[in-house]
Every structure is written in C-alpha cells, then in structure tokens.
Amino acid sequence: MEQTLAFVKSNENRFLEELFELLRIPSVSADTKYKPEVARAAEFIRTSLEKAGAEKVEICPTSGHPIVYGEKIIDPKLPTVIVYGHYDVQPADPVNLWTTPPFEPQVRDGKIYARGSCDDKGQVFMHIKAFESMMKTNSLPCNVRFMIEGEEEVGSSNLGAWVRENKNRLKGDVILISDTSIVANDTPSIEVGLRGLSYVQVEVTGPNRDLHSGVYGGAVSNPIQVLCDMIASMKDKENRITIPGFYDDVLELTSDERIELNKTPFNLNEYKKDLGIDEVRGETGYTTLERTGIRPTFELNGIWGGYTGEGSKTVLPSQAFAKISMRLVPHQTTDKITEIFTKHFTSIAPKGVKVKVTPHHGGEPVVTPTDSVAFKAASKAMETTFGKKPIPTRGGGSIPIVALFEKELGLKSVLMGFGLDSDLIHSPNEHYGIFNFMKGIETIPLFFKNFADMSAKG
Ligand code: BES
Ligand code: MN
Ligand code: MN
C-alpha cells in the first residue's frame, strides 16, 4: 500500500494534466451538436483505461451515447468491484457567467474550474488513476470492471438495456460509485440514500393561435395565466404537495432516525449566506436536511410561453409550457407519481384550455446498506485517509441507474463520492478541489484492499 501511495504522490502533476485533457472535451450529452465530442470523451476514457492496464476495453455503442467497458480479472475466485461513473457533462450555459471558459480548465485557489471537473469526470478519473497506481505497483487486490457511461445527465436511457444484455460481463460483488458529495473536507461522509425522480413537461393550449392581447385579452383564457394558477395550486400553505396520493407511499422515518439524520453538521446561516437568501422555505415540520434528504419535492425547472424577446409585443399566447421535476423518496415509484400527477394536472385544468403532460426520464429512489462489507470497507478507507470516521448522510440528488443495478444485477452500490455541495455542479464555475481529487485517488486503493481482506474473512 505504501508503494501505491508513493506512486500516487509522485504522479500528481501528470494525473492533473491528463484530467485537464479530459475536461477540455465538451462532452455535453443533452445537446446533439456535441455528439462527436461525447464520442471523443469515450475514446479518451478508453485509452486511459488501456494505458492504466485494463483489459477487454471496449467502446460499446448504444442508440444514444456509448458506454466504455474495461476489466482486470486477476483471479475469478477473488471478489470483483464494478466501478460505475459518467463521462458526459451538463450543458455549460449560461457561459457568460463563467469566470474562465468552461472547457478550459484552470486552477484557482487549489480548485480545478471546468464543467465536469467534479460531476463526474474528475471523480471518474480518480478511479482510473487509482487503478493505474495499483497496477503499476502490483497491488491490485481483487478484480475490477469499469462501466463508464455517457448519458447519465440525460437519464441513462440506454444503460438499462445494455446492463440486461451484458449481465455475463457484469458479474461482481458490489458497485462502487464516486458521483456524490461529502459534508466538508474535514468532515468525511458517505451518502446512503439517493432520491428518485419523476420529470415531466406540461403544455397548456388555449386559443388556436396567438392573439392580439387588446382585441381578445380579458375574454379568452390566457394559457400562461392558467398554467401559473394550476402550478400555484400544487402546494398548500404548509408547502405540502397537493396531488392526491402523493405522500401515500412515503416512508416516514422514526424519530430516532430523524434525530440521527439531523446530527449531520449543517449551518443554516452559512447555507443562507452562500445562496444569497434571507430565509429558507420548504415543507412545514421538517429541517433543511430533511427537506433535501428524506422528503419528496415538486420543483419547476423552467417555464415559458408567449413573447420573451427584446422590447414588448402585445400578445395573448396560444400556449404555455413548464418542465417539472419531482424528487422521490422510498417507497414512491416514478410510474405511480407520474401517473397521479398527470391525472391530477389534467383534472384541475379549467374549461377553455387543453393540457398535455409528457413524461421525461425518471428513476427510483434508493437507500444503500451500512452493514455490508463494502460499506465497511469504504468507511474504513475514508477513516484512514481523512483521519475521521465518515458519517452516513442522505443525498438530495439522483443517480437513477443505482436502483436499476440492484434490480437487474442484484448488486448494491457504495456511494463513495468526494465532491462538495459547494462545487457548483450543473452551475457556472463548477469546480473540484485538488485536495478532493487526490484524496479520492488515495482512498480508492484502500477501499479495494479493505474490501478484498474483509470479503476473505467473512
Ligand atoms: N452526480 C449527480 C447526482 C448527485 C449530485 C447526487 C450530488 C448526490 C449529490 C448526477 O450527475 C445528477 O446530476 N443526476 C441528475 C439526475 C439525472 C436523471 C439528470 C439529478 O440529480 O438531477
Ligand atoms: Mn454525476
Ligand atoms: Mn450531474
């Protein structure tokens, strides 16, 4: 292990240079314009895996963006870790709010600024470099398979089918994922829950064409007004979601579990200050940690309609639209929530308009075990590198494929992420600490070692 860590330390600069090369590729999965760049990022991952010593490395095409697979099976009798991550990134817009261009990585104040630096290229690259370090020092203690996809940020719509078709090469004991956050650099933590997601677009149509707002206004339903009224009715005074049945399946935590959850270090004043808000808002009776960790939500992601260009145009628009995300908690399911939302939204539409609901991607919530060998191996590895035992936390984000791995492969995941909630993932000026990047590369080999040792014992 000492040799591996020495290798990591002496290669820090090269690791960073190589990561910057990956960050320079604008692999935005949502925008077809970047399709060749997404392919280039897949190629880069493939080459990196090969150079690191992986075998059977392959770019697997899907009907969307490709999945990169690679493996190193040293002994079929040893346990196998499946590393999952994604090389695609969110769009960089609004680009003008970036201090330096999103695809020209720059280090400022010990942090790497670039789209994807934290989510998830930087964290995927930690795994490739940790693997390389174990290979170069002859210390890989168990088998490993890599599955790095290019469609996480658009809902992993082709990964499910690929996993089903490739079950034979996905034999393993655990899925290891670094795509989440820790509480702080001096407070290590491991997320043990991810929320699910139901994402829909709604469309309200009034008159059959845009109208003059003077000639017709006041006499015809305005779709934007109707949409706003309908959306406003989706929450009551307590900020509870009014869709009938929405909370039916929600797993309520016991008061002991809630006390435990609220022990996570959290400073409300700093939280508000960081966001530039003077008050938080959410479901009555729950703390901010609970509102983002264990409660379901209904959030507007975008709303548009009518004239939004320069100056003014007097128009009563024919249509209005909104994109809505609902985060789900155990035991809610995407299909049921999408169904009851659609039913409710359609039923509250007033006469004079038509509404249409289009479901987008979704994903089921998950909780991961804290009593598994893999969790203990991760916990011990982080305790060694951070000098503090990590605390289990509940994350607010979603990685929909985690539930699918469980269903299709019968495998649980360990969410050993190294980002910070303040890394601005999905926002302008996304960054990732060099401290976190290096900490990850040091912790991963320890995880492998602990996992191999602990599996052998028990
Ligand atoms: N890495 C994030 C999820 C995440 C971030 C989990 C921080 C926990 C802490 C992932 O790339 C992501 O952004 N997921 C999307 C879902 C997807 C279907 C677009 C999300 O959570 O919005
Ligand atoms: Mn991610
Ligand atoms: Mn993301």
Side-chain angles (χ1 to χ4, degrees):
M1 190 49 65
E2 242 120 81
Q3 260 183 316
T4 313
L5 292 183
F7 182 90
V8 171
K9 289 228 163 63
S10 60
N11 282 279
E12 173 170 344
N13 287 338
R14 178 174 61 84
F15 289 173
L16 285 169
E17 282 309 321
E18 290 176 12
L19 170 62
F20 294 172
E21 245 182 89
L22 174 59
L23 294 173
R24 281 187 198 106
I25 308 171
S27 51
V28 179
S29 52
D31 189 339
T32 48
K33 184 169 92 215
Y34 291 103
K35 198 159 189 199
E37 304 291 343
V38 179
R40 216 151 61 80
E43 195 59 53
F44 187 95
I45 296 289
R46 178 189 44 191
T47 318
S48 307
L49 280 171
E50 271 168 356
K51 280 198 213 148
E55 289 162 4
K56 299 193 184 163
V57 186
E58 190 186 322
I59 294 187
C60 311
T62 71
S63 49
H65 301 299
I67 295 150
V68 188
Y69 175 85
E71 63 179 42
K72 181 72 194 177
I73 307 295
I74 53 172
D75 179 350
K77 289 196 285 294
L78 287 172
T80 303
V81 176
I82 302 178
V83 174
Y84 163 82
H86 62 97
Y87 64 82
D88 65 318
V89 300
Q90 284 276 322
D93 324 74
V95 174
N96 62 315
L97 294 182
W98 286 74
T99 307
T100 49
F103 299 106
E104 294 174 28
Q106 221 204 56
V107 175
R108 292 196 299 278
D109 198 19
K111 299 174 190 104
I112 307 154
Y113 282 83
R115 169 59 84 231
S117 55
C118 172
D119 184 15
D120 182 35
K121 285 171 169 174
Q123 299 206 63
V124 159
F125 211 60
M126 298 180 322
H127 282 273
I128 300 178
K129 294 297 113 177
F131 171 67
E132 176 187 316
S133 304
M134 290 186 277
M135 288 298 289
K136 293 282 145 68
T137 55
N138 275 316
S139 59
L140 184 69
C142 56
N143 306 313
V144 55
R145 299 180 195 274
F146 291 92
M147 167 176 40
I148 315 296
E149 72 151 318
E151 294 190 302
E152 197 277 343
E153 299 292 9
V154 287
S156 305
S157 34
N158 293 295
L159 186 59
W162 188 83
V163 166
R164 273 189 286 278
E165 285 156 22
N166 287 274
K167 278 189 181 169
N168 56 327
R169 59 170 162 183
L170 295 174
K171 289 205 178 82
D173 299 279
V174 68
I175 314 248
L176 179 62
I177 305 174
S178 296
D179 194 22
T180 49
S181 332
I182 52 173
V183 169
N185 282 350
D186 60 2
T187 314
S189 56
I190 300 176
E191 288 191 16
V192 294
L194 289 167
R195 289 194 289 187
L197 184 65
S198 168
Y199 199 106
V200 295
Q201 177 164 325
V202 297
E203 187 183 302
V204 175
T205 307
N208 58 9
R209 58 187 188 273
D210 285 2
L211 304 174
H212 187 289
S213 66
V215 178
Y216 292 96
V220 176
S221 271
N222 182 318
I224 298 181
Q225 179 74 55
V226 171
L227 177 61
C228 291
D229 292 346
M230 288 169 76
I231 283 170
S233 79
M234 303 299 287
K235 285 189 193 166
D236 66 15
K237 282 200 186 69
E238 318 262 62
N239 281 307
R240 276 178 70 88
I241 298 149
T242 56
I243 303 167
F246 189 81
Y247 292 96
D248 279 3
D249 300 323
V250 169
L251 176 73
E252 302 285 344
L253 267 63
T254 63
S255 54
D256 281 354
E257 287 170 320
R258 288 179 66 183
I259 290 168
E260 209 39 50
L261 175 79
N262 284 297
K263 281 184 187 159
T264 308
F266 176 77
N267 184 318
L268 188 60
N269 284 328
E270 273 172 28
Y271 184 85
K272 289 192 283 192
K273 199 172 146 219
D274 176 52
L275 299 178
I277 54 174
D278 54 19
E279 199 45 273
V280 291
R281 183 188 160 99
E283 189 182 354
T284 305
Y286 293 92
T287 64
T288 299
L289 281 171
E290 291 172 332
R291 288 168 179 170
T292 57
I294 56 159
R295 299 300 294 169
T297 63
F298 175 97
E299 291 295 332
L300 287 155
N301 294 250
I303 183 161
W304 71 101
Y307 183 72
T308 55
E310 198 182 330
S312 60
K313 178 188 179 200
T314 47
V315 61
L316 192 165
S318 165
Q319 289 191 300
F321 306 83
K323 288 186 192 281
I324 296 164
S325 65
M326 289 165 278
R327 297 279 167 175
L328 315 181
V329 300
H331 300 294
Q332 290 177 301
T333 64
T334 305
D335 283 352
K336 181 167 173 199
I337 293 298
T338 304
E339 190 194 312
I340 62 175
F341 167 81
T342 306
K343 227 168 145 189
H344 178 64
F345 200 74
T346 314
S347 77
I348 60 172
K351 279 208 168 123
V353 299
K354 289 191 252 337
V355 306
K356 190 175 143 198
V357 177
T358 312
H360 283 251
H361 50 63
E364 310 303 343
V366 277
V367 265
T368 60
T370 50
D371 57 358
S372 65
V373 169
F375 183 85
K376 287 176 192 156
S379 177
K380 193 173 162 213
M382 284 182 111
E383 185 172 356
T384 306
T385 51
F386 283 88
K388 254 191 212 175
K389 202 179 163 84
I391 40 180
T393 58
R394 295 287 290 258
S398 307
I399 309 178
I401 209 68
V402 176
L404 197 130
F405 291 149
E406 218 172 294
K407 185 166 155 242
E408 294 297 335
L409 303 170
L411 292 179
K412 303 274 184 192
S413 297
V414 171
L415 303 165
M416 195 172 73
F418 292 86
L420 295 174
D421 282 347
S422 55
D423 283 343
L424 303 178
I425 65 170
H426 296 205
S427 302
N429 300 312
E430 175 178 354
H431 55 269
Y432 191 41
I434 293 177
F435 169 89
N436 304 69
F437 178 66
M438 293 308 293
K439 206 51 116 187
I441 305 178
E442 288 159 21
T443 309
I444 293 160
L446 283 164
F447 169 85
F448 274 77
K449 174 103 192 19
N450 296 342
F451 186 62
D453 289 352
M454 293 159 100
S455 302
K457 276 189 208 115

